[in-house]
Amino acid sequence: TEDSKKYPEKSLSSVMNDIKDQKIKNIEVSDNTVTAEYKNGAFAKAYKEGNESFITMLKNNNVNPQLAKITVKNNEANSVWVSFLVNVIPTILIVGFLFFMFRQARGAQDSVFSFGQSKAKRFNKDNPKVTFADIAGIDEGKKEIEEVVDFLKHPGKYKKIGARTPKGVLLFGPAGTGKTLLAKAVAGEANVPFFSIAGSEFMEMLVGIGAARVRDLFQTAKKSAPSIIFIDEVDAIGRSRSNGVMPAHDEREQTLNQILVEMDGFTPNEQVIVIAATNRGDLLDPALLRPGRFDRRIMVDYPDAEGRKDIMKIHAKGKPFADDVNWDRVAQRTVGFSGADLENML
């Protein structure tokens, strides 16, 4: 390389002899490197022991240090930084690793203790709202659910005549007829907190978790009362309990018992309405359907011809159709179609 050509390497003793012979003009000492500049313009490089003073070495070898100009370069600052980094970086890495491990362990611990927390999602008012105007074809169910919303909005006028807020509203009927859609409309229309959860979300591997989640859900809803809890597919936890000696599923029964107690138990459940939806109403436990629990049962059935026509008009918005489409004829030909079927068809 050019550096090795410009600074050819020499032994330390030959550099010392050249100083003695007054051939060298300048000497630069940097750590363990000695760079010599000769009077004829040439350069040379030699290496000494790092902790040994070059001037002391010259004196020990009976060489007068005054024969050449000796410059000592200070590299202490660099060595301080190097030693600092060598000592500090491993410490930082070890501390960072331990911090990461503790965070992982704490996260696992928190997840163990958060098993009993409810996974209910609170309805966000900023989301696109479904209103009662977006629902057609199920007029009876819509009128009944509108009354429940009115109960929450204006409780005073009902209390004047001695009426009490319904504890629970059960929407049942075939699949695709609009049970969950009705609940979404309630969330959009009622200006109260709305918590939605699926029946299957109560179930977990550990026994007792379902009941703990029910407790947590009702506790959260009571804090922000008046409020609405919506349990979709309630038949996952509300099926009839077995009459045999051995229960069919002990975990599900504990969850159901907890819901029964929360809805109508020793602690009164004021201004928290539970809306549940299922397409298997025949499988539900009788204790769940008694007055004081799900005392409002709303049948959401297949729409009639007029209802089908209204549903198609809602879903036809924003789609191009020929001017001569006769919606009455389409409604008459779609007997037995649910709201979901009509939406899918369009």
Side-chain angles (χ1 to χ4, degrees), residues 68-273:
K69 186 185 175 186
I70 298 171
T71 311
V72 179
K73 209 172 180 184
N74 184 15
N75 286 329
E76 262 187 41
N78 291 342
S79 62
V80 166
W81 271 107
V82 168
S83 63
F84 174 76
L85 291 173
V86 165
N87 290 320
V88 169
I89 285 177
T91 312
I92 291 171
L93 289 172
I94 291 165
V95 169
F97 177 72
L98 290 172
F99 178 71
F100 175 75
M101 291 295 290
F102 280 127
R103 272 193 71 179
Q104 291 287 95
R106 189 179 174 187
Q109 185 185 14
D110 287 349
S111 67
V112 167
F113 290 111
S114 67
F115 264 129
Q117 287 179 4
S118 158
K119 293 186 177 180
K121 293 170 279 295
R122 185 166 175 160
F123 176 74
N124 187 358
K125 287 182 176 146
D126 299 332
N127 287 351
K129 284 209 292 189
V130 177
T131 61
F132 289 131
D134 301 322
I135 298 174
I138 40 175
D139 296 332
E140 295 87 353
K142 193 162 92 169
K143 276 175 189 163
E144 287 204 49
I145 207 90
E146 277 175 346
E147 192 182 55
V148 172
V149 171
D150 197 43
F151 250 120
L152 286 169
K153 282 184 172 176
H154 314 105
K157 67 178 181 180
Y158 292 95
K159 282 181 181 172
K160 275 182 188 174
I161 56 166
R164 66 167 176 80
T165 314
K167 295 278 178 68
V169 179
L170 180 68
L171 305 169
F172 68 98
T177 48
K179 299 182 292 295
T180 308
L181 188 68
L182 268 177
K184 281 182 184 173
V186 172
E189 293 277 355
N191 292 318
V192 294
F194 184 93
F195 302 91
S196 72
I197 191 167
S200 57
E201 287 183 61
F202 290 111
M203 310 310 285
E204 197 67 69
M205 182 176 66
L206 302 175
V207 176
I209 292 302
R213 283 183 179 166
V214 170
R215 282 193 295 275
D216 186 60
L217 172 61
F218 276 86
Q219 199 174 347
T220 310
K222 281 174 185 174
K223 278 179 189 171
S224 47
S227 57
I228 297 170
I229 295 171
F230 173 58
I231 305 172
D232 208 356
E233 308 298 344
V234 74
D235 54 279
I237 45 171
R239 291 193 179 200
S240 291
R241 289 167 287 184
S242 59
N243 297 322
V245 178
M246 289 295 287
H249 194 312
D250 192 44
E251 165 66 351
R252 191 172 66 210
E253 290 197 5
Q254 283 189 30
T255 310
L256 174 58
N257 288 340
Q258 190 64 49
I259 287 180
L260 297 176
V261 170
E262 291 289 348
M263 286 187 76
D264 190 22
F266 257 53
T267 51
N269 179 16
E270 288 295 323
Q271 289 189 301
V272 176
I273 294 179

